[in-house]
Amino acid sequence: MPDDTRTRRIRGDGVDLAVYERGSGPTVLLVHGYPDTHAVWDGVAERLADRFHVVAYDVRGAGASSRPSRREAYGFEHLLADMSAVLDAVSPEAPVHLVGHDWGSIQSWEAVRAMPGRFASFTSISGPCLDHASHWFRTRLRRPSGVPAAVRQLLRSWYIAAFQVPVVPELVWNHRLAGRWGRRLERVEGVPAGGGHPAPTLRRDAVAGLNLYRANMLGRGGTARRAGVSPAVTVPTQVIVPTRDAYATPALAAEAPRPFTEHLRVRPVATSHWGLLARPDEIARLIADHIDQTSAP
């Protein structure tokens, strides 16, 4: 951990959250995905901290934060309550610039729709809004020309169904995948060796984080609509699209939010799903540029 990082614990929705801060200025909140911890943002955060108050936290089930055992404890309503508690602690009066990756982005789409006044801007990386993705699939499957794009995304999303199977994903992570994850990040994702990735808590994080998929994915389409939240996004939004993402096709990432997002910028980057580790300079530059664009008078 860099020497200038300040740590504290914040009480979320029945859990304790480990929060990490550095720098000063307008607040940028970085939300990590699966199976990562806040440390996945270290390279990006270091580059932003000369201009911004950069905050990252271990979401429930990851790193030094609490790990609830019940699947239901990982539902969006609890994730958003945790985020709200962090916002209250780190920027109680001013809206923050929100950045999410993977599951951090998925929950952040829910946040910018449910409490838009808390955010000055939003940058999404490799994690679509589930309601927007559902609409995208339906529209593609209605016409023959759209079927190939939908099929390509379904093939990349195979793991979502696999994670619903009881016990087996836990066994795979515990006895095979966790020990090989670092080498996979290097070979497949282009992540430089070292740097604290993966986190030493990976095995426990990966197993606990399966509940993100089990609590929110299958059978939960239209979650926000059923809760009375509009699919529309009014917060100025940037979608960074890794063009070599093995899990989210560029078509889904770039097209799904368009019908619902009032102020949208799409920024392709020639990198992999974990581009924030492979190319932190470029990711930090794009985040700062979006903040500057949305903050200009």
Side-chain angles (χ1 to χ4, degrees):
M1 181 189 306
D3 292 339
D4 60 349
T5 300
R6 308 178 297 276
T7 65
R8 55 171 155 163
R9 296 188 73 80
I10 291 171
R11 187 66 176 170
D13 183 17
V15 297
D16 291 322
L17 303 169
V19 179
Y20 305 83
E21 303 172 77
R22 69 184 86 183
S24 61
T27 298
V28 179
L29 179 63
L30 307 174
V31 189
H32 71 83
Y34 176 87
D36 300 314
T37 70
H38 78 282
V40 76
W41 288 111
D42 279 350
V44 171
E46 181 181 357
R47 289 159 174 81
L48 293 173
D50 61 341
R51 293 184 53 201
F52 302 104
H53 169 216
V54 183
V55 180
Y57 68 102
D58 291 333
V59 304
R60 58 174 58 210
S65 291
S66 302
R67 288 183 178 78
S69 58
R70 295 182 304 106
R71 174 185 306 185
E72 295 77 11
Y74 292 80
F76 280 132
E77 62 273 25
H78 303 295
L79 298 174
L80 266 59
D82 289 347
M83 186 187 294
S84 182
V86 173
L87 293 171
D88 289 343
V90 303
S91 187
E93 298 179 357
V96 310
H97 298 278
L98 179 63
V99 186
H101 174 253
D102 188 83
W103 257 100
S105 177
I106 293 173
Q107 69 159 298
S108 292
W109 282 106
E110 302 293 319
V112 296
R113 294 188 295 154
M115 43 184 177
R118 305 298 303 261
F119 306 107
S121 73
F122 171 42
T123 294
S124 165
I125 310 172
S126 296
C129 170
L130 297 189
D131 287 328
H132 298 174
S134 177
H135 178 268
W136 182 85
F137 274 112
R138 290 196 305 271
T139 57
R140 294 305 172 281
L141 293 172
R142 286 186 190 133
R143 60 180 191 269
S145 61
V147 171
V151 170
R152 282 192 292 271
Q153 180 57 57
L154 286 170
L155 291 173
R156 296 195 191 192
S157 302
W158 62 270
Y159 60 93
I160 295 174
F163 284 174
Q164 308 302 318
V165 178
V167 181
V168 174
E170 287 88 338
L171 291 173
V172 172
W173 272 111
N174 279 320
H175 299 290
R176 183 177 179 86
L177 195 53
R180 303 183 179 190
W181 194 248
R183 292 192 297 277
R184 188 188 186 286
L185 288 177
E186 293 174 37
R187 292 197 310 268
V188 179
E189 299 290 334
V191 175
H197 304 290
T201 53
L202 170 66
R203 197 181 305 269
R204 288 180 293 155
D205 299 340
V207 169
L210 292 168
N211 285 315
L212 294 168
Y213 295 88
R214 293 168 178 172
N216 298 299
M217 297 294 287
L218 300 186
R220 292 291 295 271
T223 299
R225 286 193 296 274
R226 286 204 300 273
V229 176
S230 167
V233 178
T234 58
V235 175
T237 298
Q238 169 179 242
V239 177
I240 296 176
V241 181
T243 58
R244 298 197 296 270
D245 196 319
Y247 306 101
T249 61
L252 173 68
E255 296 171 9
R258 289 193 186 278
F260 307 101
T261 309
E262 292 184 8
H263 310 283
L264 177 66
R265 308 172 76 200
V266 176
R267 310 293 292 273
V269 179
T271 190
S272 63
H273 183 80
W274 272 276
L276 68 172
L277 289 174
R279 302 184 67 170
D281 285 309
E282 185 166 6
I283 299 301
R285 179 181 60 80
L286 290 174
I287 293 169
D289 180 61
H290 183 55
I291 292 172
D292 291 341
Q293 290 285 331
T294 55
S295 301

